[in-house]
Amino acid sequence: VDGVNPLKLIHDELRRNLHAMSEDECTLAAQRVASSIAFVVTELKRQHQMRDEFAEEMRALVALRSERK
């Protein structure tokens, strides 16, 4: 996203020493990580679905072409 790897950011945030942070900082970090994970999972699911739909359309075109031969 905008040249930033969201998985790396999530990993880096989770890897940080949260015990050294204040409760407010931990809460903010947890909220940001949670929303980032939700975005990444949603986007990966969308891309997977689009890929599956595209593959199905390609199979249908191949079948149509085979029927004409």
Side-chain angles (χ1 to χ4, degrees), residues 10-38:
I10 292 167
H11 173 267
D12 291 348
E13 192 61 35
L14 291 173
R15 192 174 57 114
R16 289 178 50 190
N17 183 3
L18 295 177
H19 298 290
M21 297 169 71
S22 72
E23 186 174 333
D24 288 341
E25 290 172 321
C26 285
T27 300
L28 180 60
Q31 289 170 340
R32 288 187 174 154
V33 166
S35 64
S36 297
I37 290 171

mmCIF file of all heavy atoms in Angstrom, residues 10-38:
data_model
loop_
_atom_site.group_PDB
_atom_site.id
_atom_site.type_symbol
_atom_site.label_atom_id
_atom_site.label_comp_id
_atom_site.label_asym_id
_atom_site.label_seq_id
_atom_site.Cartn_x
_atom_site.Cartn_y
_atom_site.Cartn_z
ATOM 1 N N ILE A 10 2.921 -4.936 10.176
ATOM 2 C CA ILE A 10 2.218 -5.695 11.213
ATOM 3 C C ILE A 10 3.220 -6.528 12.012
ATOM 4 O O ILE A 10 3.210 -6.520 13.246
ATOM 5 C CB ILE A 10 1.126 -6.586 10.585
ATOM 6 C CG1 ILE A 10 0.006 -5.710 10.013
ATOM 7 C CG2 ILE A 10 0.586 -7.586 11.608
ATOM 8 C CD1 ILE A 10 -0.953 -6.459 9.110
ATOM 9 N N HIS A 11 4.094 -7.220 11.303
ATOM 10 C CA HIS A 11 5.115 -8.038 11.968
ATOM 11 C C HIS A 11 5.987 -7.188 12.872
ATOM 12 O O HIS A 11 6.226 -7.536 14.035
ATOM 13 C CB HIS A 11 5.973 -8.750 10.920
ATOM 14 C CG HIS A 11 7.130 -9.474 11.518
ATOM 15 N ND1 HIS A 11 8.373 -8.906 11.652
ATOM 16 C CD2 HIS A 11 7.219 -10.723 12.029
ATOM 17 C CE1 HIS A 11 9.184 -9.763 12.222
ATOM 18 N NE2 HIS A 11 8.513 -10.875 12.454
ATOM 19 N N ASP A 12 6.461 -6.070 12.354
ATOM 20 C CA ASP A 12 7.330 -5.199 13.150
ATOM 21 C C ASP A 12 6.621 -4.684 14.397
ATOM 22 O O ASP A 12 7.215 -4.617 15.474
ATOM 23 C CB ASP A 12 7.830 -4.018 12.310
ATOM 24 C CG ASP A 12 8.809 -4.438 11.231
ATOM 25 O OD1 ASP A 12 9.289 -5.598 11.262
ATOM 26 O OD2 ASP A 12 9.093 -3.607 10.351
ATOM 27 N N GLU A 13 5.352 -4.340 14.249
ATOM 28 C CA GLU A 13 4.595 -3.824 15.390
ATOM 29 C C GLU A 13 4.389 -4.910 16.439
ATOM 30 O O GLU A 13 4.531 -4.671 17.636
ATOM 31 C CB GLU A 13 3.245 -3.263 14.924
ATOM 32 C CG GLU A 13 2.521 -2.459 15.957
ATOM 33 C CD GLU A 13 3.277 -1.220 16.431
ATOM 34 O OE1 GLU A 13 3.984 -0.595 15.617
ATOM 35 O OE2 GLU A 13 3.157 -0.880 17.628
ATOM 36 N N LEU A 14 4.082 -6.136 15.980
ATOM 37 C CA LEU A 14 3.891 -7.238 16.917
ATOM 38 C C LEU A 14 5.195 -7.635 17.605
ATOM 39 O O LEU A 14 5.184 -8.089 18.743
ATOM 40 C CB LEU A 14 3.299 -8.446 16.197
ATOM 41 C CG LEU A 14 1.859 -8.294 15.724
ATOM 42 C CD1 LEU A 14 1.452 -9.490 14.872
ATOM 43 C CD2 LEU A 14 0.911 -8.110 16.893
ATOM 44 N N ARG A 15 6.290 -7.458 16.909
ATOM 45 C CA ARG A 15 7.608 -7.860 17.414
ATOM 46 C C ARG A 15 8.140 -6.894 18.471
ATOM 47 O O ARG A 15 8.984 -7.252 19.280
ATOM 48 C CB ARG A 15 8.569 -7.937 16.229
ATOM 49 C CG ARG A 15 9.884 -8.599 16.506
ATOM 50 C CD ARG A 15 10.650 -8.716 15.211
ATOM 51 N NE ARG A 15 10.823 -7.412 14.598
ATOM 52 C CZ ARG A 15 11.980 -6.799 14.434
ATOM 53 N NH1 ARG A 15 13.085 -7.377 14.806
ATOM 54 N NH2 ARG A 15 12.045 -5.617 13.870
ATOM 55 N N ARG A 16 7.642 -5.682 18.426
ATOM 56 C CA ARG A 16 8.137 -4.681 19.383
ATOM 57 C C ARG A 16 7.896 -5.126 20.806
ATOM 58 O O ARG A 16 6.994 -5.885 21.106
ATOM 59 C CB ARG A 16 7.444 -3.341 19.144
ATOM 60 C CG ARG A 16 7.891 -2.673 17.870
ATOM 61 C CD ARG A 16 7.174 -1.395 17.617
ATOM 62 N NE ARG A 16 7.191 -0.513 18.790
ATOM 63 C CZ ARG A 16 6.475 0.590 18.879
ATOM 64 N NH1 ARG A 16 5.663 0.947 17.916
ATOM 65 N NH2 ARG A 16 6.538 1.339 19.947
ATOM 66 N N ASN A 17 8.683 -4.597 21.685
ATOM 67 C CA ASN A 17 8.543 -4.917 23.098
ATOM 68 C C ASN A 17 7.375 -4.123 23.673
ATOM 69 O O ASN A 17 7.527 -3.011 24.156
ATOM 70 C CB ASN A 17 9.835 -4.607 23.846
ATOM 71 C CG ASN A 17 9.770 -4.997 25.296
ATOM 72 O OD1 ASN A 17 8.777 -5.558 25.755
ATOM 73 N ND2 ASN A 17 10.820 -4.712 26.024
ATOM 74 N N LEU A 18 6.169 -4.700 23.607
ATOM 75 C CA LEU A 18 4.982 -4.008 24.063
ATOM 76 C C LEU A 18 5.004 -3.748 25.567
ATOM 77 O O LEU A 18 4.361 -2.832 26.057
ATOM 78 C CB LEU A 18 3.723 -4.792 23.678
ATOM 79 C CG LEU A 18 3.461 -4.926 22.178
ATOM 80 C CD1 LEU A 18 2.222 -5.777 21.934
ATOM 81 C CD2 LEU A 18 3.302 -3.566 21.525
ATOM 82 N N HIS A 19 5.761 -4.538 26.300
ATOM 83 C CA HIS A 19 5.830 -4.357 27.744
ATOM 84 C C HIS A 19 6.501 -3.042 28.115
ATOM 85 O O HIS A 19 6.277 -2.524 29.211
ATOM 86 C CB HIS A 19 6.550 -5.532 28.404
ATOM 87 C CG HIS A 19 5.844 -6.832 28.194
ATOM 88 N ND1 HIS A 19 4.641 -7.134 28.788
ATOM 89 C CD2 HIS A 19 6.153 -7.902 27.435
ATOM 90 C CE1 HIS A 19 4.249 -8.322 28.417
ATOM 91 N NE2 HIS A 19 5.144 -8.827 27.583
ATOM 92 N N ALA A 20 7.294 -2.506 27.221
ATOM 93 C CA ALA A 20 7.972 -1.243 27.489
ATOM 94 C C ALA A 20 7.080 -0.046 27.170
ATOM 95 O O ALA A 20 7.412 1.089 27.504
ATOM 96 C CB ALA A 20 9.269 -1.161 26.690
ATOM 97 N N MET A 21 5.934 -0.312 26.540
ATOM 98 C CA MET A 21 5.033 0.762 26.150
ATOM 99 C C MET A 21 4.004 0.998 27.248
ATOM 100 O O MET A 21 3.691 0.098 28.034
ATOM 101 C CB MET A 21 4.329 0.401 24.845
ATOM 102 C CG MET A 21 5.272 0.231 23.667
ATOM 103 S SD MET A 21 4.472 -0.513 22.224
ATOM 104 C CE MET A 21 3.424 0.808 21.703
ATOM 105 N N SER A 22 3.443 2.197 27.258
ATOM 106 C CA SER A 22 2.369 2.496 28.204
ATOM 107 C C SER A 22 1.103 1.748 27.782
ATOM 108 O O SER A 22 0.999 1.252 26.658
ATOM 109 C CB SER A 22 2.091 3.999 28.236
ATOM 110 O OG SER A 22 1.449 4.402 27.027
ATOM 111 N N GLU A 23 0.144 1.687 28.674
ATOM 112 C CA GLU A 23 -1.114 1.010 28.361
ATOM 113 C C GLU A 23 -1.813 1.682 27.182
ATOM 114 O O GLU A 23 -2.357 1.006 26.306
ATOM 115 C CB GLU A 23 -2.035 1.009 29.583
ATOM 116 C CG GLU A 23 -3.285 0.197 29.383
ATOM 117 C CD GLU A 23 -4.127 0.083 30.638
ATOM 118 O OE1 GLU A 23 -3.579 0.169 31.740
ATOM 119 O OE2 GLU A 23 -5.349 -0.099 30.475
ATOM 120 N N ASP A 24 -1.786 3.005 27.145
ATOM 121 C CA ASP A 24 -2.403 3.731 26.022
ATOM 122 C C ASP A 24 -1.696 3.433 24.708
ATOM 123 O O ASP A 24 -2.339 3.248 23.684
ATOM 124 C CB ASP A 24 -2.397 5.242 26.280
ATOM 125 C CG ASP A 24 -3.392 5.662 27.360
ATOM 126 O OD1 ASP A 24 -4.323 4.872 27.655
ATOM 127 O OD2 ASP A 24 -3.235 6.770 27.902
ATOM 128 N N GLU A 25 -0.359 3.369 24.746
ATOM 129 C CA GLU A 25 0.404 3.054 23.529
ATOM 130 C C GLU A 25 0.110 1.626 23.063
ATOM 131 O O GLU A 25 -0.042 1.379 21.862
ATOM 132 C CB GLU A 25 1.905 3.226 23.775
ATOM 133 C CG GLU A 25 2.341 4.658 23.949
ATOM 134 C CD GLU A 25 3.792 4.773 24.386
ATOM 135 O OE1 GLU A 25 4.252 3.957 25.209
ATOM 136 O OE2 GLU A 25 4.470 5.694 23.893
ATOM 137 N N CYS A 26 0.010 0.698 24.011
ATOM 138 C CA CYS A 26 -0.308 -0.697 23.657
ATOM 139 C C CYS A 26 -1.695 -0.794 23.039
ATOM 140 O O CYS A 26 -1.893 -1.519 22.058
ATOM 141 C CB CYS A 26 -0.228 -1.583 24.893
ATOM 142 S SG CYS A 26 1.446 -1.940 25.437
ATOM 143 N N THR A 27 -2.647 -0.065 23.621
ATOM 144 C CA THR A 27 -4.010 -0.086 23.093
ATOM 145 C C THR A 27 -4.038 0.463 21.677
ATOM 146 O O THR A 27 -4.663 -0.124 20.785
ATOM 147 C CB THR A 27 -4.950 0.729 24.004
ATOM 148 O OG1 THR A 27 -4.938 0.138 25.307
ATOM 149 C CG2 THR A 27 -6.365 0.743 23.464
ATOM 150 N N LEU A 28 -3.364 1.578 21.447
ATOM 151 C CA LEU A 28 -3.321 2.177 20.111
ATOM 152 C C LEU A 28 -2.640 1.231 19.123
ATOM 153 O O LEU A 28 -3.135 1.022 18.013
ATOM 154 C CB LEU A 28 -2.598 3.519 20.148
ATOM 155 C CG LEU A 28 -2.483 4.269 18.835
ATOM 156 C CD1 LEU A 28 -3.868 4.586 18.274
ATOM 157 C CD2 LEU A 28 -1.698 5.559 19.028
ATOM 158 N N ALA A 29 -1.522 0.631 19.529
ATOM 159 C CA ALA A 29 -0.811 -0.298 18.646
ATOM 160 C C ALA A 29 -1.695 -1.498 18.322
ATOM 161 O O ALA A 29 -1.767 -1.929 17.169
ATOM 162 C CB ALA A 29 0.490 -0.761 19.301
ATOM 163 N N ALA A 30 -2.407 -2.029 19.315
ATOM 164 C CA ALA A 30 -3.282 -3.187 19.090
ATOM 165 C C ALA A 30 -4.407 -2.836 18.127
ATOM 166 O O ALA A 30 -4.745 -3.627 17.239
ATOM 167 C CB ALA A 30 -3.847 -3.677 20.421
ATOM 168 N N GLN A 31 -4.981 -1.650 18.273
ATOM 169 C CA GLN A 31 -6.055 -1.230 17.369
ATOM 170 C C GLN A 31 -5.543 -1.093 15.938
ATOM 171 O O GLN A 31 -6.212 -1.507 14.990
ATOM 172 C CB GLN A 31 -6.655 0.095 17.840
ATOM 173 C CG GLN A 31 -7.465 -0.039 19.105
ATOM 174 C CD GLN A 31 -7.857 1.303 19.699
ATOM 175 O OE1 GLN A 31 -7.257 2.332 19.403
ATOM 176 N NE2 GLN A 31 -8.854 1.290 20.564
ATOM 177 N N ARG A 32 -4.380 -0.518 15.787
ATOM 178 C CA ARG A 32 -3.822 -0.346 14.440
ATOM 179 C C ARG A 32 -3.453 -1.678 13.812
ATOM 180 O O ARG A 32 -3.687 -1.893 12.626
ATOM 181 C CB ARG A 32 -2.615 0.593 14.493
ATOM 182 C CG ARG A 32 -3.047 2.012 14.751
ATOM 183 C CD ARG A 32 -1.914 2.971 14.652
ATOM 184 N NE ARG A 32 -2.422 4.330 14.766
ATOM 185 C CZ ARG A 32 -1.714 5.341 15.204
ATOM 186 N NH1 ARG A 32 -0.470 5.168 15.555
ATOM 187 N NH2 ARG A 32 -2.248 6.534 15.282
ATOM 188 N N VAL A 33 -2.887 -2.576 14.594
ATOM 189 C CA VAL A 33 -2.542 -3.898 14.073
ATOM 190 C C VAL A 33 -3.809 -4.648 13.684
ATOM 191 O O VAL A 33 -3.876 -5.266 12.614
ATOM 192 C CB VAL A 33 -1.699 -4.689 15.099
ATOM 193 C CG1 VAL A 33 -1.621 -6.160 14.723
ATOM 194 C CG2 VAL A 33 -0.296 -4.096 15.197
ATOM 195 N N ALA A 34 -4.835 -4.585 14.514
ATOM 196 C CA ALA A 34 -6.087 -5.291 14.231
ATOM 197 C C ALA A 34 -6.714 -4.783 12.937
ATOM 198 O O ALA A 34 -7.139 -5.580 12.096
ATOM 199 C CB ALA A 34 -7.064 -5.138 15.396
ATOM 200 N N SER A 35 -6.757 -3.477 12.749
ATOM 201 C CA SER A 35 -7.356 -2.950 11.518
ATOM 202 C C SER A 35 -6.492 -3.271 10.306
ATOM 203 O O SER A 35 -7.019 -3.532 9.222
ATOM 204 C CB SER A 35 -7.605 -1.440 11.630
ATOM 205 O OG SER A 35 -6.401 -0.733 11.762
ATOM 206 N N SER A 36 -5.188 -3.308 10.497
ATOM 207 C CA SER A 36 -4.289 -3.667 9.391
ATOM 208 C C SER A 36 -4.475 -5.122 8.989
ATOM 209 O O SER A 36 -4.522 -5.443 7.802
ATOM 210 C CB SER A 36 -2.829 -3.427 9.791
ATOM 211 O OG SER A 36 -2.603 -2.065 10.044
ATOM 212 N N ILE A 37 -4.583 -5.996 9.969
ATOM 213 C CA ILE A 37 -4.798 -7.416 9.672
ATOM 214 C C ILE A 37 -6.132 -7.600 8.960
ATOM 215 O O ILE A 37 -6.219 -8.340 7.969
ATOM 216 C CB ILE A 37 -4.725 -8.260 10.955
ATOM 217 C CG1 ILE A 37 -3.286 -8.306 11.467
ATOM 218 C CG2 ILE A 37 -5.256 -9.678 10.716
ATOM 219 C CD1 ILE A 37 -3.128 -8.933 12.834
ATOM 220 N N ALA A 38 -7.166 -6.919 9.433
ATOM 221 C CA ALA A 38 -8.481 -7.026 8.799
ATOM 222 C C ALA A 38 -8.411 -6.586 7.339
ATOM 223 O O ALA A 38 -8.982 -7.232 6.458
ATOM 224 C CB ALA A 38 -9.504 -6.183 9.561
#
